[in-house]
Coordinates of all heavy atoms in Angstrom, one line a residue:
A79 N 15.9 4.9 4.6 CA 15.6 5.9 5.6 C 16.7 6.2 6.5 O 17.5 5.3 6.7 CB 14.3 5.7 6.4
E80 N 16.8 7.3 7.2 CA 17.9 7.5 8.1 C 17.6 6.8 9.4 O 18.6 6.4 10.1 CB 18.0 9.0 8.4 CG 18.5 9.9 7.3 CD 17.7 11.1 7.1 OE1 16.6 11.2 7.5 OE2 18.3 12.1 6.5
R81 N 16.4 6.5 9.8 CA 16.1 5.7 11.0 C 14.9 4.8 10.5 O 14.0 5.1 9.8 CB 15.7 6.6 12.1 CG 16.7 7.6 12.5 CD 16.2 8.4 13.7 NE 17.3 9.3 14.2 CZ 17.5 10.5 13.8 NH1 16.8 11.0 12.7 NH2 18.5 11.3 14.2
V82 N 14.9 3.7 11.2 CA 13.8 2.7 11.1 C 13.3 2.3 12.5 O 14.2 2.4 13.5 CB 14.1 1.4 10.3 CG1 14.5 1.7 8.9 CG2 15.2 0.7 11.0
I83 N 12.1 1.9 12.6 CA 11.6 1.5 13.9 C 11.1 0.1 13.7 O 10.2 -0.2 12.9 CB 10.4 2.3 14.4 CG1 10.8 3.8 14.5 CG2 10.0 1.8 15.8 CD1 9.7 4.8 14.7
V84 N 11.6 -0.9 14.4 CA 11.2 -2.3 14.3 C 11.1 -2.9 15.7 O 11.6 -2.4 16.7 CB 12.3 -3.1 13.5 CG1 12.4 -2.6 12.1 CG2 13.7 -3.1 14.2
R85 N 10.5 -4.1 15.7 CA 10.4 -4.8 17.0 C 11.8 -5.2 17.4 O 12.6 -5.5 16.6 CB 9.6 -6.1 16.7 CG 8.2 -5.9 16.4 CD 7.4 -7.3 16.3 NE 6.0 -7.1 16.0 CZ 5.2 -8.2 15.9 NH1 5.7 -9.3 16.1 NH2 3.9 -8.0 15.7
G86 N 11.9 -5.3 18.7 CA 13.2 -5.8 19.3 C 13.7 -7.1 18.8 O 14.8 -7.4 18.6
V87 N 12.6 -8.0 18.6 CA 13.0 -9.4 18.1 C 13.6 -9.4 16.7 O 14.3 -10.4 16.3 CB 11.8 -10.3 18.1 CG1 10.7 -9.9 17.0 CG2 12.0 -11.7 18.1
S88 N 13.3 -8.2 15.9 CA 14.0 -8.2 14.6 C 15.4 -7.8 14.5 O 16.0 -7.9 13.4 CB 13.0 -7.3 13.8 OG 11.7 -7.8 13.7
A89 N 15.9 -7.2 15.7 CA 17.3 -6.7 15.6 C 18.2 -7.8 16.2 O 18.2 -8.1 17.3 CB 17.3 -5.4 16.5
I90 N 19.1 -8.2 15.3 CA 20.1 -9.3 15.7 C 21.5 -8.7 15.8 O 22.0 -8.1 14.7 CB 20.1 -10.5 14.6 CG1 18.7 -10.9 14.4 CG2 21.0 -11.5 15.0 CD1 17.9 -11.5 15.6
P91 N 22.2 -8.8 16.9 CA 23.5 -8.3 17.1 C 24.5 -8.8 16.0 O 24.5 -10.0 15.7 CB 24.0 -8.7 18.4 CG 22.6 -8.8 19.2 CD 21.6 -9.5 18.2
V92 N 25.3 -8.0 15.5 CA 26.4 -8.3 14.5 C 27.7 -8.3 15.2 O 28.1 -7.3 15.8 CB 26.3 -7.3 13.3 CG1 27.4 -7.7 12.4 CG2 25.0 -7.3 12.7
P93 N 28.5 -9.5 15.0 CA 29.9 -9.4 15.6 C 30.7 -8.3 15.0 O 30.5 -7.8 13.9 CB 30.4 -10.8 15.1 CG 29.2 -11.5 14.9 CD 28.2 -10.7 14.4
D94 N 31.7 -7.8 15.8 CA 32.5 -6.7 15.5 C 33.3 -7.0 14.1 O 33.7 -6.0 13.4 CB 33.5 -6.3 16.5 CG 32.7 -5.7 17.8 OD1 31.6 -5.2 17.5 OD2 33.3 -5.8 18.9
D95 N 33.7 -8.3 13.9 CA 34.5 -8.6 12.7 C 33.6 -8.9 11.5 O 34.2 -9.3 10.4 CB 35.5 -9.7 13.1 CG 34.7 -11.0 13.5 OD1 33.5 -10.9 13.7 OD2 35.4 -12.0 13.7
V96 N 32.4 -8.6 11.5 CA 31.5 -8.7 10.3 C 31.2 -7.3 9.8 O 30.6 -6.6 10.6 CB 30.3 -9.6 10.5 CG1 29.4 -9.5 9.3 CG2 30.7 -10.9 11.1
P97 N 31.6 -6.9 8.7 CA 31.4 -5.6 8.1 C 29.8 -5.3 8.0 O 29.0 -6.3 7.7 CB 32.0 -5.6 6.7 CG 33.0 -6.7 6.8 CD 32.4 -7.7 7.7
M98 N 29.5 -4.1 8.1 CA 28.0 -3.7 8.1 C 27.4 -4.0 6.7 O 26.2 -4.4 6.6 CB 27.8 -2.4 8.6 CG 28.2 -2.1 10.0 SD 27.1 -3.0 11.1 CE 25.7 -1.8 11.3
D99 N 28.1 -3.7 5.6 CA 27.5 -4.0 4.4 C 27.3 -5.5 4.1 O 26.3 -5.9 3.6 CB 28.4 -3.4 3.3 CG 29.9 -3.8 3.3 OD1 30.2 -4.6 4.1 OD2 30.6 -3.4 2.3
V100 N 28.1 -6.3 4.6 CA 27.9 -7.8 4.5 C 26.7 -8.2 5.4 O 25.9 -9.0 5.0 CB 29.2 -8.5 5.0 CG1 28.9 -10.0 5.3 CG2 30.4 -8.4 4.0
A101 N 26.6 -7.6 6.6 CA 25.5 -7.9 7.4 C 24.2 -7.6 6.7 O 23.2 -8.3 6.9 CB 25.7 -7.3 8.8
A102 N 24.2 -6.4 6.1 CA 22.9 -6.0 5.4 C 22.5 -7.0 4.3 O 21.3 -7.4 4.2 CB 23.1 -4.6 4.8
V103 N 23.4 -7.5 3.5 CA 23.1 -8.5 2.5 C 22.6 -9.8 3.2 O 21.7 -10.4 2.6 CB 24.4 -8.7 1.6 CG1 24.0 -9.8 0.6 CG2 24.8 -7.5 0.8
M104 N 23.1 -10.1 4.3 CA 22.7 -11.3 5.0 C 21.1 -11.2 5.4 O 20.5 -12.2 5.6 CB 23.4 -11.5 6.3 CG 24.8 -12.0 6.0 SD 25.8 -12.2 7.5 CE 27.3 -13.1 6.9
G105 N 20.6 -10.0 5.5 CA 19.3 -9.8 5.9 C 18.3 -10.5 5.1 O 17.2 -11.0 5.6
C106 N 18.5 -10.7 3.7 CA 17.6 -11.3 2.9 C 18.3 -12.3 2.0 O 17.9 -13.5 1.9 CB 16.7 -10.3 2.2 SG 15.5 -11.2 1.0
A107 N 19.2 -11.8 1.2 CA 19.8 -12.7 0.2 C 20.4 -13.9 0.8 O 20.2 -15.1 0.4 CB 20.8 -12.0 -0.6
T108 N 21.2 -13.7 1.8 CA 21.9 -14.9 2.5 C 20.8 -15.7 3.2 O 20.9 -17.0 3.1 CB 22.9 -14.4 3.5 OG1 23.9 -13.5 2.9 CG2 23.7 -15.5 4.2
A109 N 19.9 -15.0 4.0 CA 19.0 -15.8 4.6 C 18.0 -16.7 3.8 O 17.7 -17.9 4.1 CB 18.0 -14.9 5.5
T110 N 17.7 -16.2 2.6 CA 16.9 -16.9 1.7 C 17.6 -17.9 1.0 O 17.1 -19.1 1.0 CB 16.2 -15.9 0.7 OG1 15.5 -14.8 1.2 CG2 15.4 -16.6 -0.2
G111 N 18.8 -17.7 0.5 CA 19.6 -18.6 -0.2 C 20.0 -19.9 0.7 O 19.8 -21.0 0.2
L112 N 20.6 -19.5 1.7 CA 21.1 -20.6 2.7 C 19.9 -21.3 3.3 O 19.9 -22.5 3.4 CB 22.1 -20.1 3.7 CG 23.5 -20.1 3.3 CD1 23.7 -19.1 2.1 CD2 24.4 -19.8 4.5
G113 N 18.9 -20.5 3.7 CA 17.7 -21.2 4.2 C 17.0 -22.1 3.3 O 16.5 -23.2 3.7
A114 N 16.9 -21.8 2.0 CA 16.3 -22.7 1.1 C 17.1 -24.0 1.0 O 16.4 -25.1 0.9 CB 16.4 -22.0 -0.3
V115 N 18.4 -24.0 1.1 CA 19.1 -25.2 1.0 C 19.2 -26.0 2.4 O 19.0 -27.2 2.4 CB 20.6 -24.9 0.6 CG1 21.5 -26.2 0.7 CG2 20.6 -24.3 -0.8
F116 N 19.4 -25.2 3.5 CA 19.6 -26.0 4.8 C 18.2 -26.2 5.5 O 18.0 -27.3 6.0 CB 20.5 -25.1 5.6 CG 21.9 -24.9 5.2 CD1 22.6 -23.8 5.5 CD2 22.4 -25.8 4.4 CE1 23.9 -23.6 5.0 CE2 23.8 -25.6 3.9 CZ 24.5 -24.5 4.3
N117 N 17.4 -25.2 5.4 CA 16.1 -25.3 6.3 C 15.0 -25.9 5.4 O 14.1 -26.5 6.1 CB 15.6 -23.9 6.8 CG 16.7 -23.3 7.7 OD1 17.6 -24.0 8.2 ND2 16.7 -22.0 7.9

Side-chain angles (χ1 to χ4, degrees):
E80 289 137 334
R81 297 180 180 87
V82 300
I83 304 173
V84 297
R85 292 182 180 181
V87 72
S88 301
I90 308 299
V92 176
D94 291 339
D95 56 354
V96 175
M98 292 296 273
D99 53 359
V100 167
V103 174
M104 287 181 173
C106 180
T108 304
T110 303
L112 268 67
V115 173
F116 297 150
N117 298 342

